[in-house]
Amino acid sequence: AFYGRIAAVHGENPYVRTPVEFAGDPLWPLIGPKWVDTPAVYGPAFTTLSSVVARTVETPAGQVRAYRWIAALASLATIAVIATTARRMRPERAAFAVAAFGLNPVVLFHGVASGHNDLLVAFAVAVGFLLLVHDRTFAAVAVLAVGTLIKATVGLPLVLVLVWCVARAPAGRRARATATHVGLAVVIGLAFAAPFVQAHDPTLGMLELAGHEGWLA
């Protein structure tokens, strides 16, 4: 929420400026000590989303509710995608697949109740897999690219899908498959990153994230 306010309310780049520089912000008393001088570590797609939330919701309590609603809706959408995929591939296990995710305490209490963007990550991965089931590789790459721009963890399934798309292409068309699929991911990345690109941290938080430590990590 604070990084969204740095971008939307204060008009600064959250990958360069840190919360301690905006100690007059209403959210400042709620920032944990570890984050006061840490630049944004989420991807530019999520920073864009948090900027929208910052523009539309002013109070700290309203911000909490907004992110909880986003997490809740993302979890419900993920359940729907899981159900659709399971019914197509293993219909006899569809109910179990839905319950394994939808009733998971980590999803319910840590993810949804805490308003984490990991539910957007789960949604992106689930949609990407469903698209691959339907052999819609370009759409799958696009969805996973956006997911990576929410949180870097989606980068692994994106790389796996890109490698798979290239490997399954005929030998004479692999260069084209590489250019088109990787190119699509790069174009999407540049589109979201463009407003935040600068020389101070061209990795947009990835360098900071690589050395970030926390008890969950």
Side-chain angles (χ1 to χ4, degrees):
F2 207 112
Y3 295 130
R5 288 183 60 81
I6 290 177
V9 177
H10 302 290
E12 299 289 346
N13 192 328
Y15 295 102
V16 177
R17 309 293 294 275
T18 60
V20 71
E21 300 176 69
F22 306 94
D25 191 275
L27 292 184
W28 170 252
L30 304 175
I31 298 296
K34 190 171 185 62
W35 300 100
V36 294
D37 58 352
T38 301
V41 295
Y42 295 125
F46 188 74
T47 300
T48 300
L49 175 61
S50 60
S51 299
V52 173
V53 173
R55 289 189 184 98
T56 54
V57 184
E58 295 184 359
T59 66
Q63 297 256 328
V64 170
R65 284 193 295 271
Y67 287 105
R68 280 179 172 170
W69 271 108
I70 291 171
L73 292 174
S75 70
L76 293 174
T78 303
I79 290 171
V81 173
I82 290 172
T84 302
T85 306
R87 281 198 297 266
R88 179 181 175 87
M89 300 188 70
R90 293 283 298 277
E92 73 280 5
R93 302 290 283 168
F96 172 78
V98 169
F101 179 84
L103 297 179
N104 191 318
V106 175
V107 172
L108 289 171
F109 299 109
H110 180 68
V112 176
S114 297
H116 280 292
N117 61 6
D118 298 286
L119 277 307
L120 293 172
V121 168
F123 180 60
V125 174
V127 171
F129 186 79
L130 177 59
L131 290 169
L132 289 178
V133 168
H134 289 276
D135 202 29
R136 297 178 60 186
T137 57
F138 282 105
V141 168
V143 169
L144 292 173
V146 174
T148 303
L149 296 167
I150 292 173
K151 200 169 187 178
T153 47
V154 190
L156 179 57
L158 173 61
V159 169
L160 291 174
V161 169
L162 289 173
V163 170
W164 178 75
C165 289
V166 173
R168 72 195 289 259
R173 301 183 63 185
R174 286 178 181 170
R176 180 181 178 182
T178 301
T180 54
H181 287 83
V182 174
L184 175 61
V186 170
V187 168
I188 292 173
L190 291 176
F192 278 98
F196 306 105
V197 170
Q198 28 64 42
H200 179 77
D201 180 15
T203 69
L204 298 186
M206 292 304 96
L207 187 62
E208 170 69 28
L209 185 62
H212 191 75
E213 296 180 0
W215 71 269
L216 281 175

